[in-house]
Amino acid sequence: MYGDTGAAAGRIRHEHLSAVLRLTPMAMVANMGNASLILWSFKDSLTPGLFSWWAVMMTLASLSLLSWFRFRNRSSTKVSCRAIRRSTLHAGVLALAWGCLPVVWFADAGHSQQVAITALFTGMMGAGAFVLGALPLASMAYVAVFAASALWALARAGEPQFIAFALLVLLYAFMVLVGGISYWRKATALILARNEAVRHEQMLAVVLQDFEQRATDALWEIDTEGRLQQPSARLAKLLHTAPDTLRGLSLVPWLEQHTLSGSGDLAQALAKGVPFHNVAVVIEQGGQQCHLALQGKPLFDELGQHSGWRGVVSDRTAIEQAQQLLQRQAHTDSLTQLANRLSLHAAIEQQLRVKPHSGALLLLDLDHFKTINDSLGHSVGDTLLTCVAERLLQHAPPHSLVARLGGDEFAILLHHNDTGADTTEAQALASRLVTALSRPYQIKERRLRVGASVGIALIDGEVTHVDELLVRADIALYDAKAHGRGRAAEYTHALRERTRRRAEVEEGLRQAVRRDELSLHWQPKVDLSTWKITGTEALLRWESPQLGKVSPGEFIPVAEQEGMMDLIGLWALRHACECARNQLKGVRVAVNVSPVQLADPEFVSLVQSVLESTGLPADRLELEITESVFIEDTEAALKQLHALHALGIHVALDDFGTGYSSLSYLCRFPFSTLKIDRSFVQEAMERPEALAVVQHIAQLARSLKMRTVCEGVETPEQLAMVIGAGIDEAQGYLLSAPKPLEFFNSFTEDWNTQQAPLEYLPE
């Protein structure tokens, strides 16, 4: 402390010196009084020396008082080592002044005077050591001087009894020194502890201030009566009121008046008398809701008596708002703001629990939306979906749920009070929606049209699960789309049976190639001018061990939709080429090609590979395509066809006349054959205009150097009509049904070209 120049030591020195100076006035008054008593005890034998001593004592006491007066107005909280040394020197000088008294006058003094000197001298030594206890060096110097002068005086007196007094003085001085040092240590420890407490208090104040300013939390404290104690500005802000209003306010009653919920939970938590956490309270002030979470613990005084509560209140408004936003986003479609699939599932579950015999689900799918989305861009597609959502909301009944399930698929859940009205109301709504959604949409400068197909599934008591209802609606929607789109269909058990059958066909078809269940049947094409069999068409057949014979009209669409057509088509092409190379010499083999196959960029390479592996000349292979191959990507389809034509392969346009733009395709690709659809053959027998169409097709084909084939010739009258119309070839059940290879070969061997068509023509 005496040598440390640090700020902390300076403050400790200031505390010690202040402790001494606080007692200085009383100590100096005692010095002046005791010196005066000594002077009074020598009034009968007063000498100039004693008077001078008294004057010195008065001067030293006065100077000490002056120093005290000056020090008390100092603003500094630190004291230098030099100031402590000056205080030590001052204590030593004062002790020397007192020490002169017994050294000079004790031996020659009278008995009463010696008693006075002894009593006052001993008292001053003890009192001085106590006053200077905070300054250990000053105290030691003071006591040492006093003890030395006392021993000198007793020794100089030369009386035997004073030897005992000297021992007592030594013991007294030692005890005074030990007590002074102990007092100094305790005082220093107390100062250090107090300074540390102040530092912690300041740190805590800073932390609390920062906590109040920066955190979303605030401290609260109430007494045993529930009144708020020292409410902070932050707490007032959280409670949306003024700090002065909160001071002394009963917390729970105030919350009961200003909260939407939670005040009762807080009252119960306080009543239990144990710490609590996350008690939620919702306050509404000024039209705004504030979500708070309180935690607290009971307070106890030094006697263990309950004295109130203290805790933290947290502002959870932002968290609650974020959770509500996430909840809305989780149950809302981000594009259309309709309910999403999750919300629809929850609503259906609720409906099945509450009214399992009432309600309906409408599943909607936009027709040709993909074409608009791909050609005009996703931004236009998104805008169109938003417009569709608005129309659905306009036409949906009140209290129904409109949802977007994803892509261009929507749903409406209807709630009914009368079970008997479910079918009628659902069908009527579906009809209105089909009409409304088919009206044009004005999106910027574009006027767009899309249609909609609707599947209806009733909640009729048989449905017990959400997925079951969705499956039923999906089955109905599939049926609506399969029968021309732009219409509504209601789920029936017959539809379910067809769906089950389709699933069985799909499952069996996946194993058909591997199990060698597929086969080819052959139907001849007959040249009507020479009556020769010039070609044959390979027709795919499937006989399943489980399903029996499955017609191509049933399993080929399934294969195309489920991505199995590439494998099945490649098998059919390879098998047909092998048969043409080995058993069907002299005739051209026609193989149907699916649009799915032609869309494969590797299709031309696959055909070339099959021709090379089977050894079949390219000009003996004819690939039959329909106009549907041009719907998705006309340029890509034409590129594939030109590549096939370059290999020497013949390409026939099947079902000619059923499309809306057949003539444009004829101008852009040199087809070898036009196959007239069987519908024209049938209608030509009844309608003259249909016959005229067939005749014009024959003339058009001849001008384009293409051959014509009429399919579906089943009666002699139809054959006569076909011949009269100028058609080149005929194909149909009148001539031959499709046959397995061995039967086809027998048929061709027995074919008599000399009979011409006479036996097939009507008499």
Side-chain angles (χ1 to χ4, degrees):
M1 183 183 75
Y2 287 96
D4 194 345
T5 58
R11 286 192 292 269
I12 294 175
R13 288 192 291 267
H14 178 271
E15 292 287 339
H16 286 323
L17 187 57
S18 296
V20 173
L21 291 177
R22 279 194 296 270
L23 299 175
T24 294
M26 292 180 292
M28 293 304 105
V29 169
N31 274 272
M32 296 171 70
N34 288 336
S36 298
L37 286 174
I38 293 295
L39 187 65
W40 179 80
S41 65
F42 282 90
K43 62 180 182 298
D44 295 332
S45 56
L46 187 63
T47 61
L50 188 58
F51 186 80
S52 299
W53 172 83
W54 177 82
V56 170
M57 292 300 301
M58 293 298 107
T59 302
L60 291 175
S62 299
L63 291 174
S64 296
L65 289 173
L66 180 61
S67 297
W68 165 81
F69 186 79
R70 290 176 177 175
F71 183 83
R72 71 184 184 89
N73 293 323
R74 288 184 56 177
S75 58
S76 174
T77 59
K78 292 184 290 185
V79 170
S80 65
C81 298
R82 182 180 177 185
I84 297 297
R85 286 194 290 268
R86 284 200 305 267
S87 299
T88 302
L89 180 60
H90 182 273
V93 171
L94 185 62
L96 285 174
W98 274 104
C100 293
L101 179 64
V103 171
V104 178
W105 289 285
F106 183 80
D108 298 330
H111 179 72
S112 60
Q113 294 169 337
Q114 287 181 337
V115 172
I117 291 173
T118 301
L120 294 176
F121 188 83
T122 305
M124 288 304 301
M125 181 173 67
F130 173 75
V131 171
L132 295 171
L135 301 176
L137 289 182
S139 178
M140 291 171 64
Y142 185 84
V143 172
V145 171
F146 262 74
S149 60
L151 292 175
W152 178 272
L154 291 172
R156 186 167 173 268
E159 296 184 12
Q161 66 271 23
F162 287 159
I163 296 176
F165 290 163
L167 294 175
L168 291 175
V169 167
L170 287 174
L171 180 61
Y172 180 66
F174 175 75
M175 294 179 63
V176 169
L177 284 175
V178 172
I181 293 174
S182 176
Y183 167 76
W184 168 76
R185 287 177 176 173
K186 291 182 179 180
T188 301
L190 180 61
I191 292 171
L192 291 174
R194 187 172 66 239
N195 289 343
E196 186 68 14
V198 171
R199 188 178 70 84
H200 285 170
E201 185 177 354
Q202 291 174 346
M203 183 182 299
L204 181 61
V206 171
V207 171
L208 290 177
Q209 184 178 9
D210 183 71
F211 174 81
E212 292 283 354
Q213 291 177 352
R214 297 178 180 271
T216 58
D217 303 342
L219 298 175
W220 62 272
E221 183 177 344
I222 58 176
D223 59 15
T224 54
E225 301 297 326
R227 294 186 296 266
L228 282 170
Q229 305 295 305
Q230 300 178 348
S232 65
R234 178 60 186 167
L235 178 62
K237 184 177 181 180
L238 288 181
L239 298 180
H240 294 276
T241 187
D244 294 339
T245 304
L246 293 179
R247 191 168 290 110
L249 195 70
S250 294
L251 180 60
V252 174
W254 186 88
L255 289 176
E256 291 175 348
Q257 297 177 3
H258 295 84
T259 58
L260 297 176
S261 63
S263 59
D265 296 336
L266 178 61
Q268 293 179 4
L270 294 173
K272 292 179 180 178
V274 295
F276 58 86
H277 300 276
N278 294 326
V279 174
V281 174
V282 182
I283 293 177
E284 184 175 28
Q285 290 281 70
Q288 294 183 344
Q289 288 188 6
C290 181
H291 295 262
L292 305 177
L294 286 87
Q295 57 181 348
K297 64 177 182 178
L299 299 177
F300 300 94
D301 57 20
E302 60 275 5
L303 299 178
Q305 299 296 319
H306 179 62
S307 61
W309 290 82
R310 179 185 296 153
V312 175
V313 55
S314 304
D315 185 1
R316 296 182 55 86
T317 304
I319 297 176
E320 289 293 330
Q321 291 175 347
Q323 290 178 345
Q324 292 174 5
L325 177 60
L326 291 175
Q327 186 74 4
R328 287 195 299 272
Q329 291 177 342
H331 291 80
T332 305
D333 176 60
S334 59
L335 176 62
T336 62
Q337 302 306 309
L338 298 177
N340 61 9
R341 186 180 294 271
L342 183 63
S343 292
L344 179 65
H345 275 235
I348 295 175
E349 287 181 352
Q350 176 71 11
Q351 180 75 0
L352 293 177
R353 286 196 303 268
V354 177
K355 295 182 178 179
H357 299 277
S358 178
L361 176 66
L362 276 64
L363 207 59
L364 298 90
D365 189 82
L366 301 183
D367 299 330
H368 310 303
F369 172 77
K370 185 178 185 300
T371 302
I372 295 176
N373 199 46
D374 292 344
S375 60
L376 300 180
H378 293 288
S379 60
V380 175
D382 290 347
T383 305
L384 180 58
L385 291 174
T386 303
C387 295
V388 169
E390 292 174 355
R391 289 193 186 179
L392 290 177
L393 290 173
Q394 291 171 0
H395 290 82
H399 309 300
S400 62
L401 177 69
V402 183
R404 179 186 176 219
L405 305 186
D408 59 344
E409 192 175 14
F410 296 84
I412 298 178
L413 179 63
L414 300 178
H415 307 284
H416 298 287
N417 295 321
D418 183 7
T419 304
D422 287 355
T423 300
T424 302
E425 182 178 347
Q427 290 177 343
L429 175 60
S431 179
R432 292 196 302 270
L433 291 176
V434 169
T435 302
L437 296 180
S438 65
R439 294 198 300 268
Y441 299 84
Q442 189 67 38
I443 300 177
K444 295 183 180 180
E445 70 279 2
R446 294 185 175 91
R447 191 174 176 85
L448 304 177
R449 287 181 180 272
V450 292
S453 301
V454 183
I456 306 170
L458 300 180
I459 302 175
D460 54 7
E462 295 182 3
V463 179
T464 59
H465 195 270
V466 175
D467 291 337
E468 171 65 18
L469 185 65
L470 289 170
V471 166
R472 289 189 174 196
D474 196 55
I475 291 173
L477 176 61
Y478 180 83
D479 182 70
K481 294 167 67 175
H483 288 81
R485 300 177 180 268
R487 60 185 297 273
E490 183 178 339
Y491 171 83
T492 62
H493 289 292
L495 279 182
R496 182 59 176 265
E497 183 60 28
R498 286 203 294 270
T499 303
R500 184 193 62 78
R501 167 72 178 183
R502 185 183 184 279
E504 291 177 348
V505 169
E506 177 187 340
E507 181 62 27
L509 196 58
R510 294 186 185 279
Q511 310 296 332
V513 175
R514 183 175 61 84
R515 294 175 179 174
D516 198 24
E517 298 174 4
L518 297 176
S519 63
L520 291 179
H521 284 200
W522 306 87
Q523 188 175 34
K525 296 178 183 179
V526 178
D527 188 312
L528 297 179
S529 61
T530 64
W531 204 239
K532 292 181 179 181
I533 297 176
T534 58
T536 181
E537 182 179 359
L539 299 172
L540 195 61
R541 295 293 184 262
W542 176 32
E543 185 170 358
S544 168
Q546 292 79 27
L547 303 176
K549 292 182 179 180
V550 184
S551 70
E554 183 178 10
F555 73 79
I556 287 181
V558 174
E560 290 179 335
Q561 294 168 8
E562 301 302 325
M564 294 181 281
M565 200 61 226
D566 287 337
L567 177 62
I568 294 175
L570 181 60
W571 178 89
L573 178 64
R574 184 180 298 279
H575 193 58
C577 290
E578 289 174 349
C579 292
R581 178 70 176 83
N582 299 317
Q583 291 94 2
L584 299 174
K585 296 179 180 180
V587 296
R588 182 178 296 157
V589 174
V591 180
N592 290 282
V593 175
S594 167
V596 176
Q597 292 175 267
L598 199 63
D600 183 3
E602 302 297 325
F603 179 70
V604 176
S605 299
L606 290 174
V607 174
Q608 187 175 9
S609 175
V610 169
L611 291 175
E612 292 175 353
S613 62
T614 59
L616 181 70
D619 62 350
R620 290 190 55 207
L621 175 64
E622 184 175 66
L623 300 180
E624 295 187 3
I625 66 168
T626 61
E627 290 178 285
S628 59
V629 300
F630 301 109
I631 292 178
E632 292 293 334
D633 192 342
T634 302
E635 297 302 325
L638 289 173
K639 183 179 179 181
Q640 294 275 70
L641 293 177
H642 279 289
L644 292 171
H645 182 72
L647 294 176
I649 298 171
H650 296 268
V651 179
L653 184 58
D654 199 6
D655 299 334
F656 181 75
T658 59
Y660 63 90
S661 57
S662 300
L663 293 179
S664 66
Y665 302 140
L666 295 181
C667 296
R668 301 181 67 181
F669 181 79
F671 290 98
S672 61
T673 305
L674 297 182
K675 296 193 70 174
I676 301 173
D677 187 67
R678 66 180 64 244
S679 61
F680 282 99
V681 176
Q682 296 169 354
E683 292 181 11
M685 302 301 297
E686 302 174 359
R687 294 168 45 201
E689 57 270 25
L691 176 59
V693 170
V694 174
Q695 292 171 342
H696 281 86
I697 291 175
Q699 294 174 4
L700 175 65
R702 281 194 297 271
S703 64
L704 295 176
K705 298 181 180 180
M706 300 178 187
R707 293 183 64 81
T708 52
V709 178
C710 264
E711 298 180 290
V713 178
E714 298 178 354
T715 66
E717 290 78 11
Q718 290 176 348
L719 178 61
M721 182 273 296
V722 167
I723 294 174
I727 301 301
D728 297 314
E729 298 178 6
Q731 180 181 353
Y733 274 73
L734 176 65
L735 304 174
S736 174
K739 300 177 180 294
L741 183 60
E742 57 273 18
F743 296 104
F744 178 81
N745 286 331
S746 300
F747 172 80
T748 56
E749 290 174 0
D750 296 337
W751 182 260
N752 187 355
T753 60
Q754 300 301 319
Q755 294 182 357
L758 297 178
E759 61 177 314
Y760 295 95
L761 294 176
E763 296 181 358

